[in-house]
Amino acid sequence: MSGANSSSLTPGYFILNGVPGLEAAHIWISLPFCLMYIIALVGNVGLIYLISHEEALHRPMYYFLALLASTEVTLCTTTVPNMLCIFWFNLKEIDFNACLVQMFFVHMLTGMESGVLMLMALDRYVAICYPLRYATILTNPVITKAGFATFLKSVILIIPFTFLTKRLPYCQGHLIPHTYCDHMSVAKVSCGNVKINAIYGLLAAILIGGFDMFCISVSYTMILRTVVSLSSVDAPHKAFGTCTSHLGAIVITYVPALFSIFTHRFRGKSISHHVHILIANLYLICPPTLNPIIYGIKTKQIREGVIKLFFKEKDALDIKQSQ
């Protein structure tokens, strides 16, 4: 009997309501998100292609950047197309299991994104503090193992989300006031006790984001100490010049992420629900959109690679037309 009751309290589907309170503006809200998604797709896929084909970019820093680009473009692809379907075609229904899968990938990939930013900080630490040993420390096998370890950490810590959410009884309706299946947004639809979900969600955020931010902070503290001790006048400027793109990526990733995480758990009346939903979506789409632009503008080797690739393609086209 209890099995039957448990089964009856597991919904077949949820309704994603988009941005509550701004339903009339869904079409207008969708336009910047659609544009940002196109930029993110073109920018990140182009960056991955450039790094894989340009031999000058076959270095640890750019391997980590390619890993970040692939993570971020996959992350925004798990949410933005579904969100646009809600805004444009009013397709709000999502299967219960599909919702859990989306929830897993959203949180796993955000954890992976944070981990890759941490690896990039360690890369800058080795490059600046141990420049002569850089190539021997960060070999291809080491980079592969570091990337796999980051992926594994994120998967192990996020998998419990699906089990904690699936065990809950859902007897308060199927409506989720969000554009995608977020862990706490789904859990709050339940009529059961979500205290364990909230505690574990916060613990996972600390173990992933907290640990990564600690490593980033230590890395940049050591970098700062090394740079300050350099005798050359131009050396500190050059050293920090290689870090500016990464620092920009950290800011646009962690600031909205931390806002979204903590307002979900401690949101008061001062923050409107639609503001929280918009910030939660921006934190998934802004880094994939802006990171390729930041790295393209600030990194000389990437700019040169783009120019070289463009003229190579142009020359090949001219030769083909002349034949």
Side-chain angles (χ1 to χ4, degrees), residues 6-16 92-104 161-171 173-174 176 181 183 186-187 189-190:
S6 175
S7 175
S8 65
L9 295 178
T10 300
Y13 63 93
F14 285 122
I15 301 293
L16 293 169
K92 299 182 176 183
E93 187 175 306
I94 184 169
D95 180 76
F96 177 71
N97 290 320
C99 183
L100 294 182
V101 170
Q102 185 187 53
M103 179 185 72
F104 168 76
F161 279 11
T162 56
F163 297 106
L164 289 172
T165 306
K166 194 165 187 175
R167 71 178 177 85
L168 293 170
Y170 295 89
C171 51
H174 299 167
I176 298 176
C181 291
H183 173 226
V186 177
V189 177
S190 166

Side-chain angles (χ1 to χ4, degrees), residues 63-290:
Y63 290 148
F64 287 131
L65 180 57
L67 181 59
L68 180 67
S70 60
T71 301
E72 289 185 335
V73 76
T74 307
L75 173 60
C76 63
T77 300
T78 61
T79 57
V80 177
N82 189 57
M83 177 179 68
L84 294 177
C85 285
I86 294 170
F87 290 165
W88 291 345
F89 309 114
N90 207 34
L91 298 176
K92 299 182 176 183
E93 187 175 306
I94 184 169
D95 180 76
F96 177 71
N97 290 320
C99 183
L100 294 182
V101 170
Q102 185 187 53
M103 179 185 72
F104 168 76
F105 276 103
V106 165
H107 291 289
M108 186 274 287
L109 289 167
T110 51
M112 182 75 181
E113 180 184 42
S114 175
V116 175
L117 287 172
M118 181 266 291
L119 293 178
M120 294 173 79
L122 295 177
D123 167 78
R124 292 299 81 207
Y125 163 69
V126 175
I128 293 170
C129 298
Y130 302 98
L132 299 178
R133 297 171 56 194
Y134 180 63
T136 57
I137 293 173
L138 290 177
T139 60
N140 287 346
V142 170
I143 293 168
T144 303
K145 289 175 184 176
F148 181 72
T150 302
F151 168 76
L152 202 60
K153 179 190 76 170
S154 186
V155 169
I156 290 171
L157 288 172
I158 297 304
I159 275 181
F161 279 11
T162 56
F163 297 106
L164 289 172
T165 306
K166 194 165 187 175
R167 71 178 177 85
L168 293 170
Y170 295 89
C171 51
Q172 295 182 355
H174 299 167
L175 190 66
I176 298 176
H178 213 306
T179 57
Y180 62 88
C181 291
D182 170 81
H183 173 226
M184 287 309 299
S185 294
V186 177
K188 285 178 180 178
V189 177
S190 166
C191 54
N193 188 346
V194 299
K195 189 174 181 180
I196 295 175
N197 294 67
I199 292 171
Y200 185 77
L202 195 57
L203 179 64
I206 292 169
L207 290 175
I208 295 175
F211 174 77
D212 293 338
M213 284 190 286
F214 172 76
C215 291
I216 290 168
S217 301
V218 171
S219 296
Y220 274 102
T221 301
M222 300 302 291
I223 288 171
L224 187 61
R225 287 180 58 186
T226 301
V227 167
V228 168
S229 66
L230 294 173
S231 56
S232 172
V233 177
D234 295 330
H237 178 73
K238 283 185 178 181
F240 274 122
T242 65
C243 298
T244 52
S245 301
H246 182 244
L247 288 170
I250 289 170
V251 170
I252 63 173
T253 300
Y254 280 117
V255 171
L258 290 172
F259 180 88
S260 180
I261 289 168
F262 287 106
T263 54
H264 228 319
R265 288 160 179 80
F266 313 114
R267 187 175 71 235
K269 293 181 180 179
S270 59
I271 302 174
S272 300
H273 190 56
H274 67 264
V275 172
H276 167 74
I277 299 300
L278 290 172
I279 293 292
N281 281 282
L282 285 172
Y283 117 77
L284 295 184
I285 192 64
C286 277
T289 303
L290 296 178

